[in-house]
């Protein structure tokens, strides 16, 4: 019974981080015009809010995966989730476009710590006969985040402002970090 609870906790945690990273990515796209207007930024500079995140995620994915192999997946996954949450919160405090872009770059770096470990952690926790189901749930939530992001993020941006998207993601990240810290074994 304890093993099943542990497996479900790991699955829930990985699903949460999979959702929050994809939700953030797809919802921020709709908030770009509002962000650009608030900071009186050109379209080219505003596009770096997305580009910085994507480039950092892509560049650091493999090196951070290797770092996880050396220092431990749980450790890097936890650090990535904490940093992702902190840089997401810091993005709400940005008072200029370059500052927001810098926080998004750091957010992308920390998302690479999450991306490089989530599936590996699931694979190590679930036995082969149930692994496909767990991976399927995680992938489903990833696509749920991508699908819900434009709708929910658009509504949040319209009624609550673009920073609300970042606040929600921060809360999800902090919840996931607490789960990793207290419920995931090394």
């Amino acid at each position: 019974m304890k093993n099943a609870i542990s497996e479900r906790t790991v699955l829930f945690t990985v699903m949460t981080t999979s959702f929050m990273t994809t939700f953030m990515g797809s919802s921020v796209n709709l908030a770009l015009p509002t962000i650009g207007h608030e900071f009186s930024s050109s379209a080219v500079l505003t596009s770096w809010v997305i580009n910085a995140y994507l480039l950092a995620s892509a560049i650091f994915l493999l090196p951070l995966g290797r770092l996880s192999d050396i220092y431990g997946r749980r450790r890097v996954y936890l650090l990535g989730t904490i940093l992702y949450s902190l840089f997401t919160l810091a993005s709400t405090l940005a008072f200029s476009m370059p500052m927001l872009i810098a926080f998004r770059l750091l957010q992308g770096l920390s998302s690479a710590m999450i991306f490089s470990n989530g599936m590996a952690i699931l694979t190590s926790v679930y036995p082969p006969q149930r692994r496909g189901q767990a991976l399927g749930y995680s992938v489903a939530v990833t696509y749920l985040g991508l699908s819900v992001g434009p709708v929910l993020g658009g509504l949040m941006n319209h009624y609550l402002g673009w920073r609300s998207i970042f606040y929600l993601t921060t809360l999800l990240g902090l919840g996931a970090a607490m789960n990793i810290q207290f419920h995931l074994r090394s």
Side-chain angles (χ1 to χ4, degrees), residues 23-47:
F23 170 78
M24 171 62 75
S26 64
S27 59
V28 168
N29 286 330
L30 289 176
L32 283 181
T34 306
I35 294 169
H37 183 264
E38 180 175 324
F39 293 124
S40 301
S41 177
S42 69
V44 172
L45 187 59
T46 303
S47 71

Side-chain angles (χ1 to χ4, degrees), residues 54-86:
L54 291 174
L55 284 172
S57 293
I59 289 168
F60 291 105
L61 187 62
L62 289 176
L64 289 170
R66 178 65 181 136
L67 199 67
S68 300
D69 292 339
I70 296 169
Y71 294 104
R73 289 184 181 105
R74 180 192 174 275
R75 182 178 291 161
V76 174
Y77 188 59
L78 175 61
L79 180 62
T81 304
I82 291 169
L83 290 176
Y84 188 88
S85 302
L86 292 177

Side-chain angles (χ1 to χ4, degrees), residues 10 13-14 64-65 67-82 113-114 116-118 120-122 124-125 176-186:
V10 170
T13 303
V14 171
L64 289 170
L67 199 67
S68 300
D69 292 339
I70 296 169
Y71 294 104
R73 289 184 181 105
R74 180 192 174 275
R75 182 178 291 161
V76 174
Y77 188 59
L78 175 61
L79 180 62
T81 304
I82 291 169
M113 298 169 99
I114 295 169
S116 64
N117 288 293
I121 289 172
L122 278 181
S124 67
V125 169
M178 287 176 41
N179 255 349
I180 296 165
Q181 175 63 34
F182 298 115
H183 299 292
L184 263 68
R185 287 178 257 129
S186 295

Side-chain angles (χ1 to χ4, degrees), residues 9-184:
T9 302
V10 170
L11 178 61
F12 177 76
T13 303
V14 171
M15 288 171 58
T16 301
T17 58
S18 294
F19 177 84
M20 75 176 188
T21 53
T22 55
F23 170 78
M24 171 62 75
S26 64
S27 59
V28 168
N29 286 330
L30 289 176
L32 283 181
T34 306
I35 294 169
H37 183 264
E38 180 175 324
F39 293 124
S40 301
S41 177
S42 69
V44 172
L45 187 59
T46 303
S47 71
W48 277 99
V49 171
I50 302 298
N51 294 337
Y53 177 85
L54 291 174
L55 284 172
S57 293
I59 289 168
F60 291 105
L61 187 62
L62 289 176
L64 289 170
R66 178 65 181 136
L67 199 67
S68 300
D69 292 339
I70 296 169
Y71 294 104
R73 289 184 181 105
R74 180 192 174 275
R75 182 178 291 161
V76 174
Y77 188 59
L78 175 61
L79 180 62
T81 304
I82 291 169
L83 290 176
Y84 188 88
S85 302
L86 292 177
F87 293 132
T88 301
L89 182 61
S91 296
T92 67
L93 305 173
F95 54 81
S96 70
M97 186 59 76
M99 182 181 270
L100 179 59
I101 291 168
F103 287 139
R104 288 286 289 169
L105 180 86
L106 294 168
Q107 191 184 35
L109 181 140
S110 57
S111 75
M113 298 169 99
I114 295 169
F115 294 150
S116 64
N117 288 293
M119 292 296 181
I121 289 172
L122 278 181
T123 302
S124 67
V125 169
Y126 276 85
Q129 63 271 21
R130 291 198 321 275
R131 192 173 295 152
Q133 184 179 18
L135 293 174
Y137 284 136
S138 181
V139 169
V141 169
T142 298
Y143 284 102
L144 181 66
L146 287 170
S147 302
V148 170
V151 177
L152 182 58
L155 288 170
M156 291 172 71
N157 178 51
H158 182 73
Y159 291 107
L160 303 171
W162 65 270
R163 287 177 172 84
S164 64
I165 297 166
F166 289 79
Y167 291 134
L168 175 64
T169 306
T170 299
L171 290 175
L172 289 172
L174 292 176
M178 287 176 41
N179 255 349
I180 296 165
Q181 175 63 34
F182 298 115
H183 299 292
L184 263 68

